[in-house]
Amino acid sequence: IAAVITNRKFHFPFYYLLANLAAADFFAGIAYVFLMFNTGPVSKTLTVNRWFLRKGLLDASLTASLANLLVIAVERHMSIMKMRVHSNLTKKRVTLLILLVWAIAIFMGAVPTLGWNCLCNISACSSLAPIYSRSYLIFWTVSNLLAFFIMVVVYVRIYMYVKRKTNVLSPHTSGSISRRRAPMKLMKTVMTVLGAFVVCWTPGLVALLLDGLNCKQCNVQHVKRWFLLLALLNSVMNPIIYSYKDEDMYSTMRKMICCASQDSNAERRPSRAPSTIHSRSDT
């Protein structure tokens, strides 16, 4: 997020949405920390409202990441179908899209609190997410898996389109080819992020779907913590993917880290003049 703010090369809709995806990853970390401090022996005194908050934060973080990836897919479709690096979205429209993403995320995280729960029908409760209705888990997981499928289809279609366009370009126009291949670099970054997202989140969503279908032979309780850790590992992987796939992002982040380390070393390094005066007074 700091790299997008400080470097003017990143002041485009795609990077604003990428920074918003990083904010969703940061929000997922906050949600997991809140979960850790409300699990185990502490959970014996956990109230219903705090339980809803604990689960709602995780649901909102996933929804924010998923909705943001959908918006990025729309932005990439708008730009790459015209063979441009960036779309013509204005800052006002990008801001409205970001606000819409978080509004949807907060709403989806608050749906069980608003009434779609099993407090009045304990037999319909889920085992992985108590107080949540199994019907809500089915709706939530199916909608997320459907969004995964739609995004994969869209990106595969865009990838094939760009690859076909770049192959038919004349080899004599090298400068034009280099400019036209710039969108492909961003596409590879987005597809890597999407691939990591699908791989990390699909096992957990499938486990929730099986629990919603009341599959008692699936033993989802034994794998729920590992699937949750795998899902949150995705938030750690994304910054690595950004810096590895984008050279400008890598150089910007490296400069920021180097400047921060140099400033800290300068503050720790003692001045020579005071030390010399102190040694003379001791003598």
Side-chain angles (χ1 to χ4, degrees):
I1 295 172
V4 172
I5 294 174
T6 56
N7 195 337
R8 292 185 177 181
K9 291 183 179 180
F10 302 143
H11 291 182
F12 292 99
F14 171 77
Y15 288 104
Y16 291 147
L17 296 174
L18 205 64
N20 191 47
L21 181 62
D25 293 333
F26 185 75
F27 182 71
I30 296 175
Y32 187 64
V33 170
F34 185 82
L35 175 69
M36 287 191 298
F37 282 99
N38 290 274
T39 306
V42 184
S43 62
K44 295 179 180 179
T45 59
L46 191 64
T47 62
V48 175
N49 292 331
R50 291 184 69 185
W51 195 97
F52 275 126
L53 179 62
R54 183 186 74 170
K55 197 71 175 67
L57 289 175
L58 288 175
D59 294 346
S61 65
L62 170 61
T63 306
S65 299
L66 185 60
N68 203 80
L69 285 172
L70 281 171
V71 173
I72 291 176
V74 174
E75 192 274 341
R76 288 293 85 197
H77 187 275
M78 292 173 58
S79 60
I80 290 180
M81 286 303 174
K82 297 179 180 179
M83 294 304 294
R84 295 178 178 177
V85 180
H86 300 290
S87 63
N88 293 328
L89 287 174
T90 61
K91 290 184 179 181
K92 183 178 179 180
R93 291 184 178 180
V94 173
T95 303
L96 291 176
L97 286 174
I98 291 174
L99 293 177
L100 179 62
V101 165
W102 286 103
I104 295 174
I106 294 172
F107 175 76
M108 291 298 293
V111 164
T113 311
L114 298 176
W116 200 346
N117 53 60
C118 61
L119 291 178
C120 298
N121 186 12
I122 304 300
S123 61
C125 287
S126 164
S127 61
L128 287 180
I131 309 181
Y132 273 23
S133 175
R134 288 197 300 270
S135 60
Y136 172 74
L137 285 186
I138 294 174
F139 162 76
W140 194 72
T141 54
V142 169
S143 60
N144 287 329
L145 291 173
L146 182 61
F148 285 178
F149 177 75
I150 292 174
M151 284 190 293
V152 170
V153 171
V154 170
Y155 279 120
V156 169
R157 180 177 178 273
I158 296 176
Y159 181 84
M160 297 301 296
Y161 173 82
V162 175
K163 188 175 181 180
R164 185 172 66 252
K165 284 292 184 179
T166 54
N167 289 334
V168 298
L169 290 176
S170 174
H172 301 288
T173 55
S174 58
S176 177
I177 291 177
S178 62
R179 287 194 300 270
R180 290 176 180 268
R181 284 182 176 175
M184 199 62 172
K185 294 182 179 180
L186 294 181
M187 268 298 302
K188 290 180 179 180
T189 302
V190 175
M191 292 181 69
T192 305
V193 171
L194 177 62
F197 189 84
V198 172
V199 170
C200 292
W201 278 100
T202 300
L205 291 176
V206 171
L208 288 174
L209 179 60
L210 294 175
D211 184 38
L213 296 173
N214 201 18
C215 179
K216 297 181 179 179
Q217 295 81 17
C218 299
N219 296 324
V220 291
Q221 286 286 348
H222 295 85
V223 295
K224 66 176 184 179
R225 66 181 62 183
W226 303 111
F227 285 170
L228 177 61
L229 287 174
L230 178 63
L232 292 168
L233 180 64
N234 176 248
S235 299
V236 182
M237 294 170 59
N238 281 340
I240 301 174
I241 296 173
Y242 305 154
S243 60
Y244 177 75
K245 302 294 290 185
D246 195 317
E247 295 179 359
D248 291 332
M249 182 69 71
Y250 172 76
S251 60
T252 302
M253 294 177 67
R254 185 178 62 180
K255 289 178 181 178
M256 293 173 60
I257 295 174
C258 292
C259 291
S261 61
Q262 289 176 1
D263 291 341
S264 61
N265 292 333
E267 291 177 358
R268 293 179 182 179
R269 190 181 298 115
S271 177
R272 293 184 178 181
S275 61
T276 306
I277 296 173
H278 181 71
S279 62
R280 289 179 179 177
S281 62
D282 288 343
T283 304

